Amino acid sequence: MSEFKKERTLVIIKPDGIQRTLIGEIIQRYERMGLKLVGLKMLIPSEKQVEEHYLLDPNWKKSVGEKAIEGYRKKGLTPPTEDPIEVGDTVVAALKKYMTSGPVVAMVWQGAHAVEIVRKVTGGTEPRSSDVGTIRGDYVLDSYQMADTDQRAVRNLIHASGSVEEAQNEIEHWFKSEELMDYRLVQEQILYDVNLDGILE
Ligand code: GDP
Ligand code: MG
């Protein structure tokens, strides 16, 4: 099978997803699209694990800080500081608190365009504005406004890798290679095979 059909992405059901008893619903959303679950575990992450996860991409902290500063300006508010790294640091600190507050479920999903497709069904970062029909849009109501006012992370149920490169680094960060399963699903024939011989009797 060509390599792009075996693309992998990391999904973490965050502590609020577990508390809202949405594990089954969330898994079903990815499973029913035809993606294959190749790794799964429940754990309580350490602060170090969470910090390292968000710093795997060296540019992420600055860009999340820039986005937050821009958000303050759009609302006519003055950002707490003009330094995106400093704002990024406060988001990282908030994420450490959020992500270590209880158990999470970490998963690896595999299939064609897995990274893109998982992001599409997960929805945009802010549940308030993420599309109807997406998991974040359908199951939760948090906003940048509430999170920033209360100086906490946006509670949006799920982490999903943002790019193929991010996915590779994140999967390595959360899973050992022997925890990932290589196996075939019967439905892969209808999803991927060129010829559909053998269906008719
Ligand atoms: P994601 O890829 O959609 O999860 O979004 P990002 O990678 O940009 O941010 C990671 C996580 O940080 C998000 O899922 C939110 O939980 C949190 N977060 C992102 N931006 C902000 C922000 O501006 N303010 C607050 N309070 N939290 C944020
Ligand atoms: Mg991200």
Side-chain angles (χ1 to χ4, degrees):
M1 203 185 287
S2 18
E3 276 315 295
F4 79 91
K5 295 178 184 168
K6 292 183 156 190
E7 191 171 295
R8 286 177 168 180
T9 191
L10 179 85
V11 171
I12 300 175
I13 305 178
K14 295 175 173 179
D16 53 330
I18 311 297
Q19 294 305 314
R20 295 282 310 283
T21 60
L22 288 172
I23 300 169
E25 292 283 341
I26 291 169
I27 288 181
Q28 189 184 28
R29 295 298 296 265
Y30 303 126
E31 200 175 32
R32 74 184 190 187
M33 287 191 293
L35 293 172
K36 174 164 69 180
L37 187 61
V38 298
L40 174 74
K41 61 169 120 175
M42 189 178 218
L43 72 155
I44 301 168
S46 67
E47 288 203 0
K48 182 168 172 271
Q49 224 169 351
V50 173
E51 176 153 18
E52 282 172 1
H53 163 89
Y54 283 107
L55 300 184
L56 284 171
D57 171 2
N59 303 315
W60 175 83
K61 190 157 76 176
K62 185 157 180 255
S63 67
V64 86
E66 282 166 353
K67 187 205 65 186
I69 290 170
E70 178 66 27
Y72 278 103
R73 289 229 179 78
K74 266 198 209 142
K75 283 178 250 152
L77 303 169
T78 319
T81 145
E82 294 292 327
D83 179 4
I85 297 279
E86 242 178 89
V87 177
D89 275 329
T90 62
V91 177
V92 173
L95 280 166
K96 283 203 284 194
K97 236 173 143 180
Y98 170 33
M99 294 294 286
T100 61
S101 65
V104 304
V105 170
M107 303 179 273
V108 178
W109 288 92
Q110 178 177 312
H113 321 295
V115 170
E116 193 183 314
I117 281 198
V118 162
R119 290 284 283 200
K120 180 179 70 165
V121 82
T122 300
T125 305
E126 187 198 31
R128 177 186 184 177
S129 55
S130 51
D131 290 335
V132 173
T134 65
I135 304 170
R136 285 166 169 172
D138 284 354
Y139 290 111
V140 76
L141 46 64
D142 206 14
S143 63
Y144 287 127
Q145 190 183 346
M146 283 204 289
D148 292 339
T149 306
D150 294 344
Q151 297 182 309
R152 58 167 177 78
V154 173
R155 293 181 189 148
N156 53 13
L157 306 172
I158 293 162
H159 166 78
S161 307
S163 67
V164 174
E165 194 195 352
E166 199 175 289
Q168 279 161 356
N169 294 333
E170 291 179 353
I171 290 167
E172 242 176 74
H173 183 62
W174 294 92
F175 286 86
K176 298 188 190 117
S177 60
E178 64 266 28
E179 291 173 324
L180 301 173
M181 307 293 133
D182 285 308
Y183 67 101
R184 210 176 109 77
L185 275 183
V186 172
Q187 68 163 3
E188 280 167 27
Q189 187 187 356
I190 201 81
L191 293 172
Y192 301 120
D193 280 10
V194 177
N195 298 309
L196 296 176
D197 305 337
I199 291 176
L200 292 176
E201 292 191 324

